[in-house]
Amino acid sequence: MQLYRLLTEDDTSAFCHKVSLALSKGWSLYGDPTYAFDAARGVMRCAQAVVKEVEGDYHPDLKLGEQ
């Protein structure tokens, strides 16, 4: 089964570390990163989709960050 996650974070090195950690755990980039301005907080936000092939069946209680 293929899992999907959308990683989001403020546009800081924390976002790069979050994506790098996912890649180190076997996730693959899916599409291009996106950026948007959060007017309420006055900061840029980043998002990157990642996917990973795993064994088993999907269930809503699955902890994607632990895969």
Side-chain angles (χ1 to χ4, degrees):
M1 134 183 84
Q2 189 173 59
L3 299 178
Y4 171 89
R5 292 176 66 193
L6 182 64
L7 305 174
T8 62
E9 184 66 56
D10 290 349
D11 187 13
T12 66
S13 63
F15 175 71
C16 296
H17 287 289
K18 186 181 278 191
V19 173
S20 295
L21 177 61
L23 294 173
S24 76
K25 291 183 174 185
W27 293 83
S28 298
L29 299 177
Y30 184 81
D32 295 327
T34 59
Y35 301 90
F37 184 68
D38 180 344
R41 295 179 49 231
V43 298
M44 290 297 291
R45 297 278 297 168
C46 305
Q48 173 65 59
V50 293
V51 293
K52 183 177 184 181
E53 199 66 38
V54 298
E55 303 231 357
D57 295 323
Y58 174 78
H59 57 86
D61 297 327
L62 190 64
K63 304 281 187 209
L64 296 175
E66 295 174 6
Q67 297 298 312

